[in-house]
Amino acid sequence: MSAPGGQDGLAGVHVLRTLDDAWALRAELMACSRVVVVGDGVLGTEIAATARTMGLTVTLAGPQPAPLESQFGPQVAGNSPNSTSTGESSCGSAPR
């Protein structure tokens, strides 16, 4: 796998650009219990939500103060929960 930033061959790191990438990510998600999703935009939050429905513990990391804030604005994004009632998901901004 070739990923931006020089993560070639780094186990567990995926990019999602093709159908084959999606199949590889799905296979790995089915074999793990927790995942960190880097990116809190549309694609990252969708992957995080899918992983949660698969029963995985999810950490969502990205540069925005709240997931999807740049897409929907702070008022809408601020109304989305940052964790489940069981505390199995978390999100936050990446260090700057």
Side-chain angles (χ1 to χ4, degrees):
M1 172 191 80
S2 179
Q7 294 98 350
D8 294 348
L10 190 57
V13 175
H14 293 267
V15 294
L16 190 56
R17 294 192 179 113
T18 68
L19 183 57
D20 287 339
D21 293 341
W23 285 116
L25 176 59
R26 180 181 184 271
E28 192 151 348
L29 288 175
M30 293 179 71
C32 68
S33 62
R34 63 182 182 231
V35 62
V36 174
V37 178
V38 178
D40 55 2
V42 174
L43 189 55
T45 54
E46 188 64 33
I47 292 168
T50 299
R52 279 299 300 136
T53 65
M54 296 172 70
L56 280 68
T57 300
V58 176
T59 300
L60 180 63
Q64 301 180 89
L68 298 169
E69 186 169 311
S70 66
Q71 288 81 8
F72 297 113
Q75 193 168 29
V76 172
N79 287 325
S80 64
N82 286 343
S83 65
T84 65
S85 59
T86 59
E88 293 178 340
S89 295
S90 62
C91 64
S93 298
R96 294 179 193 244

